[in-house]
Amino acid sequence: MASKRITTGILAHVDAGKTTLSESLLFTAGAIRRLGKVDKRDAFLDYDTTEKSRGITIFSKQARLSWKDTDITILDTPGHVDFSAEMERTLPVMDYAILVISGTDGVQSHTRTLWELLGRYDIPVFIFVNKMDLPQTDKEVLMAAIKADLDAACVDFTAVDLPDCQEDIASCDESVMEKYFDTGQVAESDIRQLIWDRKLFPCYFGSALKLIGIEEFLDGFSKHTLSRTYPDGFGARIYKITRDAQGNRLTHMRITGGVLRTKMLLTNLRERPDTAADLHNFKNDDSDHCGDRKDIWEEKVNQIRIYNGEKFETPQEIPAGEVCAVTGLTHTYPGQGLGIEPEDITSCIHPIYLRSIILPEGMDTGEMLIKLRRLEEEMPELNISLDMDMMELRVQIMGQLQMEILSSLIDERYGVKVEFGPIHIYYPEEENIEEEVENEEVFDFETEVERARRRARSVSDKWLGTEEVDAILKQATHANQGTKRSGKNGVIKRIRRKADGEPAQPVKKTFKPKEPLEKYLLVDGYNVIYAWDELAELARENMDSSRGKLLDELCNYQGIKGMNLIAVFDAYRVAGHTTEAFDYHNIHVVFTKEAETADQYIERFAHDHAKKYDVTVATSDGLEQIIIRGEGCRLLSSRDLIHDMIHERIIFNKEHHVS
């Protein structure tokens, strides 16, 4: 039996080769006999019908392999940004993460989003740079970009025993460096601890498709990982709810303490009472420390399943460290902690689009709501709701692809073909609006969205993806945001929610004219550089030149537009660096302090100033966009900003006869 038990998740930007790497690891370790391929629809972990038809991962899956002294549970997660919430749900049960980067594309916007999330969840990371068998891949260039974009502590481990690599490792920690000066090498125990403490991130290079570098990666992963120790008291962290083909409800969890056995009673009480009488007394205790007893439950585990792909074993008990699914529980939900596990985990990623669900004529809304609640258990981010006044079902979604998948799932499971109403941008602060006033001018956001969509249809037959829809709808979105924050007259229809419980009534909300707010544009500097082909190419040779060229372009853009413009760059990897802010001609430039990213600086600025100024943020980072919208700021993708800058420059040059 292996001496270590490790749970790892595999994450990547879409099309980086994440599922192919999972397949290669399983095949190399002898866990599967045949190497499946995503494009042939026979990958071991993409067994769902919808996944096979689309060739993408939609739901996280579990697989198992053993390598040398290590038992490894792999959680393969979705790469498409529309399914980021599914990916995030797996993070709390990982010991380590494997971040896959495409050797042909390098670090992309969603890669940086994943990196930020892994940091927030404090997960140690191994990096595998894939597709190195393809032309135009340069290991040294990629390694430099990874250090610049992710962390300077990312170290090439393909020659871990050589002096240069040993020195790079030692430089990640002062105490390790001192020992290295004395001995001339870094102890293996120190390497494992540095990785565990997120002070060191090993990087491996290879090709999952060609099985290049896979054994070396498995050797390194087995050698450089630490095994957890677990307490005796029972604990579990729930990360997913699904249903099997027979409709059995499955609660997927990581056991974090003690032992889980079949027929064991589980409860959401932090410390389970010893007897049925104790539980009865606890539930009926009205003292303040007991809180609301209506939500307390106790249920029996009927069956334990350890999945490997779509097949599973049914042991009678499993120890701490294992990942499993159990039947018999009806009150559980993703993020919930049981036993000694502390408070529930709240996710960072939330959908930004709100749409109504249009049912077939004659379909009972209440009956459909019950069915959709089952889907919501599996995909909590949907936040299914029923507007009692309109008798209209509503759903929150991440983007167009998730909406298409949801439609397919409803049809597949319940035989109901639904459609969706117009897009709304979801603002949490819009709930519970009480004001009721008069108005003269009407701005109908839904109509504007439909007009924008028709314009999109006129130039393209294909259904646009999330980023493209964002670009086309930005004018309508900005108008809506501007109305909200006051630069315009207008009326937006609302449903008033009365505190006294009376039925909600449609009301009109009027915005009185105000002085236009002072405009600010915050630019995520490195995000824009890597979205601009010309600057990205220059950055590979000289980052200072690329940054300088961007600042010159932004100066010109500010001169044309006239807003306050702040360009923000990461300097958080520079030890001892304090926030550096200075004027560059007519714009402001900020280099963040140590341990603060550009995203964090921009988020803080947005939170502090969104109500005082008209703030727009230029970034294509998916998570950052969600946070910025939540603060009520305008948003430009990096590519939209680049296009607008080029367009404005051309117009300016023509008007001023500049060649």
Side-chain angles (χ1 to χ4, degrees):
M1 183 177 178
S3 61
K4 283 197 299 187
R5 183 182 294 111
I6 302 293
T7 296
T8 185
I10 303 187
L11 301 86
H13 187 285
V14 68
D15 294 332
K18 172 185 51 59
T19 300
T20 304
L21 178 60
S22 301
E23 202 82 6
S24 300
L25 294 172
L26 293 167
F27 179 77
T28 302
I32 58 176
R33 296 181 179 180
R34 185 173 57 85
L35 191 63
K37 294 183 179 179
V38 175
D39 57 351
K40 291 186 177 180
R41 310 292 192 261
D42 62 354
F44 182 72
L45 287 171
D46 280 352
Y47 50 79
D48 180 84
T49 305
T50 307
E51 290 177 322
K52 285 184 176 181
S53 66
R54 291 182 176 267
I56 60 171
T57 301
I58 299 171
F59 309 104
S60 60
K61 306 291 195 323
Q62 176 181 343
R64 296 161 64 84
L65 64 86
S66 293
W67 189 260
K68 297 187 176 178
D69 69 339
T70 308
D71 286 336
I72 302 172
T73 296
I74 291 176
L75 300 176
D76 186 27
T77 68
H80 196 286
V81 68
D82 277 18
F83 307 108
S84 295
E86 173 79 5
M87 172 275 301
E88 187 190 5
R89 282 191 283 274
T90 67
L91 297 182
V93 300
M94 295 179 189
D95 295 316
Y96 293 84
I98 301 170
L99 180 64
V100 187
I101 296 174
S102 168
T104 56
D105 298 323
V107 176
Q108 298 176 276
S109 61
H110 191 53
T111 315
R112 287 188 284 271
T113 298
L114 295 172
W115 188 261
E116 292 291 332
L117 277 172
L118 291 167
R120 293 185 187 198
Y121 282 88
D122 198 28
I123 300 173
V125 183
F126 283 71
I127 294 173
F128 185 84
V129 184
N130 194 24
K131 304 184 182 181
M132 292 301 293
D133 58 312
L134 298 179
Q136 298 179 335
T137 55
D138 187 313
K139 182 178 173 181
E140 290 186 4
V141 171
L142 285 164
M143 196 65 239
I146 290 169
K147 284 178 174 289
D149 290 342
L150 301 184
D151 198 295
C154 296
V155 174
D156 180 3
F157 261 52
T158 54
V160 67
D161 295 325
L162 295 181
D164 286 350
C165 184
Q166 290 277 300
E167 186 172 343
D168 286 345
I169 294 170
S171 66
C172 295
D173 183 85
E174 286 187 13
S175 62
V176 174
M177 177 63 85
E178 289 176 4
K179 286 190 282 185
Y180 173 73
F181 284 146
D182 293 337
T183 64
Q185 64 181 37
V186 182
E188 179 54 40
S189 59
D190 285 334
I191 293 176
R192 286 194 289 264
Q193 193 63 49
L194 287 173
I195 295 170
W196 180 254
D197 293 338
R198 285 182 50 86
K199 294 181 178 180
L200 171 65
F201 306 97
C203 298
Y204 293 83
F205 294 77
S207 168
L209 187 63
K210 301 288 181 63
L211 298 177
I212 299 171
I214 303 302
E215 284 195 27
E216 292 81 357
F217 179 80
L218 282 168
D219 284 342
F221 189 84
S222 176
K223 183 178 181 181
H224 302 310
T225 48
L226 285 169
S227 183
R228 288 177 182 265
T229 56
Y230 298 94
D232 294 332
F234 175 77
R237 175 66 66 188
I238 296 165
Y239 72 97
K240 182 181 172 110
I241 303 295
T242 64
R243 279 183 167 76
D244 65 13
Q246 289 71 44
N248 296 307
R249 188 180 191 270
L250 301 175
T251 298
H252 298 256
M253 61 176 70
R254 171 90 185 272
I255 309 305
T256 58
V259 176
L260 177 69
R261 300 180 176 89
T262 56
K263 309 307 177 185
M264 184 174 174
L265 288 174
L266 297 183
T267 176
N268 60 338
L269 291 178
R270 287 302 169 207
E271 294 183 4
R272 190 174 70 82
D274 294 330
T275 67
D278 288 341
L279 180 66
H280 175 78
N281 293 335
F282 197 92
K283 286 182 177 179
N284 290 281
D285 188 344
D286 291 330
S287 60
D288 291 340
H289 73 274
C290 292
D292 185 359
R293 298 296 147 218
K294 294 179 182 178
D295 294 332
I296 294 175
W297 54 264
E298 184 178 53
E299 295 179 311
K300 186 183 294 183
V301 173
N302 291 334
Q303 185 184 60
I304 300 172
R305 299 181 183 182
I306 297 183
Y307 274 88
N308 191 21
E310 58 184 328
K311 297 181 179 180
F312 58 87
E313 301 171 355
T314 56
Q316 293 301 300
E317 66 176 45
I318 58 170
E322 287 281 8
V323 176
C324 67
V326 304
T327 63
L329 306 182
T330 62
H331 294 83
T332 48
Y333 53 85
Q336 186 176 22
L338 300 179
I340 62 171
E341 273 296 305
E343 71 283 346
D344 304 337
I345 292 175
T346 303
S347 62
C348 300
I349 297 176
H350 303 282
I352 57 173
Y353 299 115
L354 181 68
R355 305 194 76 163
S356 59
I357 302 175
I358 303 171
L359 303 177
E361 189 173 351
M363 180 75 195
D364 182 82
T365 303
E367 179 186 343
M368 194 64 206
L369 177 61
I370 294 172
K371 293 177 178 178
L372 290 176
R373 289 292 186 206
R374 285 192 163 194
L375 273 178
E376 186 183 31
E377 284 187 325
E378 301 173 38
M379 306 166 72
E381 71 274 12
L382 295 177
N383 290 314
I384 305 292
S385 61
L386 173 63
D387 187 297
M388 296 300 294
D389 298 288
M390 310 281 290
M391 284 308 291
E392 177 182 82
L393 293 170
R394 294 176 178 174
V395 61
Q396 288 174 235
I397 57 171
M398 295 289 291
Q400 178 64 29
L401 181 57
Q402 189 187 32
M403 188 188 71
E404 292 175 6
I405 297 300
L406 177 59
S407 178
S408 298
L409 287 174
I410 294 172
D411 188 15
E412 177 185 322
R413 297 193 186 183
Y414 309 123
V416 179
K417 296 186 182 299
V418 301
E419 296 180 355
F420 295 89
I423 291 177
H424 297 262
I425 305 299
Y426 177 68
Y427 300 102
E429 69 272 18
E430 287 184 2
E431 296 179 359
N432 304 318
I433 292 178
E434 295 290 340
E435 297 91 340
E436 182 173 7
V437 280
E438 297 296 317
N439 171 40
E440 23 183 82
E441 243 182 277
V442 174
F443 175 81
D444 189 341
F445 182 51
E446 294 182 26
T447 302
E448 290 300 314
V449 169
E450 287 306 303
R451 287 175 184 163
R453 188 173 296 288
R454 285 198 295 272
R455 290 197 297 274
R457 287 286 195 181
S458 70
V459 298
S460 175
D461 293 330
K462 71 184 179 75
W463 190 268
L464 298 175
T466 304
E467 187 171 348
E468 295 162 294
V469 169
D470 281 352
I472 291 169
L473 299 185
K474 66 179 172 121
Q475 186 174 6
T477 305
H478 290 175
N480 184 44
Q481 291 171 325
T483 303
K484 282 177 57 191
R485 278 198 316 281
S486 74
K488 307 171 186 233
N489 288 329
V491 174
I492 300 176
K493 295 180 181 177
R494 297 279 190 263
I495 299 298
R496 180 171 60 179
R497 308 189 187 282
K498 293 188 176 180
D500 58 10
E502 295 178 16
Q505 300 293 327
V507 299
K508 290 183 176 181
K509 181 173 180 180
T510 298
F511 295 88
K512 296 180 180 179
K514 292 183 180 179
E515 289 297 317
L517 297 177
E518 189 175 0
K519 294 179 181 292
Y520 276 82
L521 172 63
L522 272 74
V523 177
D524 187 335
Y526 290 127
N527 193 286
V528 173
I529 284 176
Y530 287 108
W532 198 333
D533 292 342
E534 177 187 349
L535 297 186
E537 182 67 28
L538 181 58
R540 294 187 185 98
E541 301 174 6
N542 189 313
M543 177 56 76
D544 287 340
S545 297
S546 180
R547 191 166 50 229
K549 185 169 178 56
L550 173 62
L551 292 178
D552 288 339
E553 291 284 354
L554 291 174
C555 285
N556 293 335
Y557 188 66
Q558 192 283 334
I560 296 170
K561 292 289 191 177
M563 84 294 278
N564 295 292
L565 196 153
I566 305 174
V568 185
F569 296 94
D570 285 331
Y572 74 100
R573 304 178 191 86
V574 182
H577 193 274
T578 57
T579 302
E580 181 184 2
F582 58 90
D583 290 336
Y584 181 81
H585 301 307
N586 55 334
I587 67 174
H588 309 287
V589 180
V590 173
F591 285 89
T592 60
K593 63 184 178 182
E594 181 187 6
E596 182 181 50
T597 65
D599 290 349
Q600 291 167 334
Y601 180 94
I602 291 171
E603 289 170 23
R604 190 174 72 251
F605 186 97
H607 179 77
D608 293 344
H609 300 293
K611 291 181 174 61
K612 294 186 289 185
Y613 304 122
D614 184 348
V615 179
T616 300
V617 174
T619 182
S620 288
D621 184 287
L623 178 61
E624 184 70 9
Q625 290 179 336
I626 294 169
I627 295 170
I628 291 303
R629 282 194 175 107
E631 296 292 351
C633 297
R634 304 172 189 255
L635 181 67
L636 272 177
S637 72
S638 293
R639 201 163 293 278
D640 282 340
L641 174 65
I642 294 163
H643 289 165
D644 197 39
M645 289 169 68
I646 294 172
H647 173 75
E648 292 290 352
R649 185 176 62 194
I650 292 171
I651 297 299
F652 179 87
N653 289 345
K654 283 184 178 179
E655 291 177 350
H656 294 80
H657 307 289
V658 178
S659 59

